[in-house]
Amino acid sequence: MNKKRVIGTLLAAALAVTSLVGCGDSSSGGQTAVNTGAKQTDGKNLPELTTEPMEIILWDIATDEPAKSTQEGAVQRFMADYPNIKITQVHQQNDNYKQQLVVAMSSGQAPNIYVHWGGGPMAEYYNSGYANDITDMYAKYDHPEFIDAAVAQSTYDGKMLAIPFGGLSGCDIFYNKTIFKDLGLEVPQTIDELEDVCDTLKANGITPFSLANASKWTGSMYYMYLVARHSGNAEFDAAYTQENGGTFTSEAFIYAGEKIQDWVKKGYFPDGVNSLSADDNQDRALLYDGSAAMMLHGAWQVSGIKNDNEEWYNENIGVFRFPEDSEAKAKGVPQDVEIGTAIGMGMSFNCYNDDGTVNQDMLDACYVLATQYYNDDTYNNDQLSTGTQPSIKGMEENIDDPNMKIIADVFFNASNVQLWYDQYLPASVTEVHKNCMTELFGLEKTPKEIGEEHDAAMQKALAEQ
């Protein structure tokens, strides 16, 4: 593939926005290995790595603890075993990351290893010539026994394009157990009951939901769940293909948009919700000071909150699945579609020579780093210690955090796990979707107008494929 090829559609989308999905990564406390002469890869079926000097550039979003220490620890263990190979690790801010990655690709300066969330962007990275096909390597060499869903989310067009490393990330509602107990509130099972809870919280001067929507993907979680509870996967799948009358203005999308705007008007979200930043943990701050009682978010919040104050977390935080739409359920609509990802994040490799041929020595090193050090016992135990479940078979048996047990049970009992829209949709549609979340929560446009924006973007993306 020609590595100087400019990925125009991705660049145009990236330059139009500075925000990014936050299906964040969670782990803790990395350890630096000391080279004793024996490698932790000894005896395994892996490619023999070069003894010549080599530098590999790695981009990630591990700017905060505990992820930063864990991921740096994996790199240090690798370099202790292979001192001739230097891994230059660059930590990028979450919200700017995708834009910076696409700009780097468009200028031919893409890193050799980069992290992402799978979905449509991963496919575009590959189609644009910036992701190695590792299908044959994955079949030939040792690797962790990833769960089937993680392998599926790392695959496009029958090709393995990434190595999972971030863990399962279900999306559920975190809530302050102490506030609920003090106000005599029960965990809601239906959306009607959830609204009753919200009204009681409001009457007691507490904002129901802590939401920081400056990043836009955070607000999308509410939209996705309301669509899923009202129609299962049916209406989203139809809108995605734009076939057989499929449209983002169908009943479930209008229902979701109207429900969110009703909640905004009732004060269920913080004032200035579109200006609050999840990257700066402004949503968590509202939980910490008791200003808000609930937060719909990904499972990575377990490690984040525990890292901030584990004692407070243990005393105050519980979790429950997004409540059911009782009217839709009565019509036979499945209520067990959940939102999230089976990989958390994946690592793809951009290992090519100047003439466009594969740099196999570099690709071998990247494969070993990703499969054997980012997924070794130290890394996985660090993840488990903070409540993150690696996407590896059998790891669910080691969960001891009660909230993570609930999240895992919800995840594994789902009839389907819908990948975040802003990763599942084509990149150009993703940007429209996220901008629409600003318009939706800002009461700037109607749900129908927002659906029409989605349709126009989806039709354009399909026509360009």
Side-chain angles (χ1 to χ4, degrees):
M1 295 182 181
N2 184 354
K3 302 307 294 169
K4 295 182 179 179
R5 194 164 149 195
V6 176
I7 49 178
T9 56
L10 276 174
L11 178 58
L15 292 177
V17 70
T18 60
S19 64
L20 168 66
V21 63
C23 305
D25 156 89
S26 329
S27 350
S28 97
Q31 300 177 16
T32 300
V34 176
N35 190 352
T36 61
K39 299 180 177 66
Q40 68 178 56
T41 52
D42 287 348
K44 294 187 177 182
N45 177 28
L46 295 165
E48 184 174 348
L49 301 192
T50 181
T51 58
E52 295 297 318
M54 176 186 292
E55 181 180 16
I56 294 173
I57 309 298
L58 186 160
W59 282 15
D60 60 37
I61 60 165
T63 56
D64 298 322
E65 298 297 350
K68 186 172 183 288
S69 293
T70 296
Q71 294 188 36
E72 288 178 355
V75 168
Q76 293 299 321
R77 290 193 299 278
F78 174 87
M79 290 196 297
D81 280 351
Y82 301 95
N84 61 301
I85 302 176
K86 178 183 179 182
I87 308 294
T88 299
Q89 195 169 11
V90 180
H91 304 305
Q92 300 267 5
Q93 182 82 10
N94 187 338
D95 270 359
N96 295 325
Y97 175 73
K98 186 190 292 184
Q99 180 188 16
Q100 294 299 320
L101 181 60
V102 173
V103 169
M105 288 180 176
S106 70
S107 62
Q109 302 297 315
N112 307 117
I113 306 178
Y114 56 91
V115 303
H116 57 74
W117 293 265
M122 181 183 73
E124 294 197 48
Y125 301 151
Y126 172 73
N127 286 332
S128 300
Y130 291 94
N132 292 100
D133 179 356
I134 57 171
T135 308
D136 292 341
M137 296 182 73
Y138 192 79
K140 180 178 180 180
Y141 296 120
D142 287 350
H143 54 75
E145 191 176 3
F146 296 111
I147 63 172
D148 293 344
V151 174
Q153 287 191 2
S154 302
T155 303
Y156 164 71
D157 194 25
K159 302 176 179 65
M160 189 79 172
L161 301 179
I163 298 297
F165 77 95
L168 302 177
S169 293
C171 183
D172 296 278
I173 296 179
F174 295 85
Y175 73 104
N176 189 311
K177 296 182 294 185
T178 303
I179 292 176
F180 269 52
K181 181 179 179 181
D182 289 346
L183 296 179
L185 297 173
E186 300 290 335
V187 169
Q189 303 300 312
T190 68
I191 292 174
D192 289 339
E193 291 177 0
L194 177 64
E195 291 178 322
D196 290 340
V197 166
C198 290
D199 291 339
T200 300
L201 290 167
K202 280 291 296 178
N204 284 273
I206 300 170
T207 301
F209 293 112
S210 180
L211 171 62
N213 197 40
S215 300
K216 308 175 186 180
W217 55 266
T218 41
S220 176
M221 295 179 185
Y222 292 84
Y223 188 71
M224 288 186 287
Y225 257 127
L226 289 166
V227 170
R229 291 292 180 262
H230 203 69
S231 66
N233 281 111
E235 291 188 35
F236 175 75
D237 289 346
Y240 183 82
T241 62
Q242 294 283 298
E243 295 177 351
N244 301 318
T247 172
F248 286 97
T249 62
S250 65
E251 181 183 346
F253 293 103
I254 299 301
Y255 165 83
E258 289 180 343
K259 184 67 71 175
I260 286 172
Q261 293 196 327
D262 180 51
W263 289 356
V264 170
K265 293 172 185 176
K266 289 179 176 178
Y268 288 4
F269 301 105
D271 292 337
V273 64
N274 281 340
S275 63
L276 298 177
S277 170
D279 268 357
D280 294 332
N281 297 322
Q282 291 179 320
D283 41 11
R284 290 214 299 254
L286 296 176
L287 283 183
Y288 294 163
D289 67 12
S291 299
M294 298 180 288
M295 181 175 69
L296 177 63
H297 228 298
W300 58 84
Q301 290 293 341
V302 170
S303 64
I305 299 173
K306 288 177 77 171
N307 188 63
D308 287 344
N309 190 327
E310 186 167 359
E311 181 179 357
W312 185 90
Y313 167 86
N314 291 332
E315 290 178 357
N316 293 283
I317 293 298
V319 67
F320 60 90
R321 69 187 293 262
F322 197 92
E324 297 181 350
D325 182 334
S326 54
E327 292 185 9
K329 184 177 182 178
K331 298 176 183 177
V333 175
Q335 296 296 302
D336 54 357
V337 174
E338 306 299 336
I339 307 299
T341 175
I343 63 172
M345 297 193 79
M347 279 187 171
S348 285
F349 313 132
N350 171 45
C351 300
Y352 294 95
N353 298 309
D354 291 340
D355 62 1
T357 59
V358 173
N359 184 330
Q360 192 63 49
D361 285 343
M362 181 178 287
L363 183 58
D364 288 345
C366 291
Y367 180 88
V368 170
L369 171 64
T371 61
Q372 305 302 315
Y373 293 85
Y374 270 81
N375 283 286
D376 65 5
D377 288 343
T378 300
Y379 189 93
N380 290 330
N381 287 334
D382 283 345
Q383 288 193 294
L384 287 167
S385 71
T386 55
T388 298
Q389 182 183 333
S391 305
I392 298 172
K393 292 180 180 179
M395 283 289 177
E396 68 276 6
E397 300 173 2
N398 299 316
I399 299 175
D400 56 13
D401 182 281
N403 289 327
M404 280 305 301
K405 285 183 180 293
I406 293 172
I407 293 171
D409 286 344
V410 170
F411 196 98
F412 283 114
N413 288 325
S415 62
N416 183 67
V417 176
Q418 172 62 57
L419 182 63
W420 326 99
Y421 285 2
D422 52 347
Q423 287 306 313
Y424 192 87
L425 294 167
S428 57
V429 185
T430 288
E431 305 312 322
V432 170
H433 170 70
K434 290 190 290 186
N435 289 334
C436 282
M437 292 303 99
T438 298
E439 297 167 344
L440 184 67
F441 282 84
L443 306 179
E444 298 169 22
K445 291 187 178 180
T446 68
K448 185 174 185 293
E449 290 171 331
I450 284 168
E452 289 170 346
E453 286 189 58
H454 281 79
D455 281 338
M458 195 73 228
Q459 290 163 13
K460 181 179 179 181
L462 291 169
E464 292 173 348
Q465 285 181 357

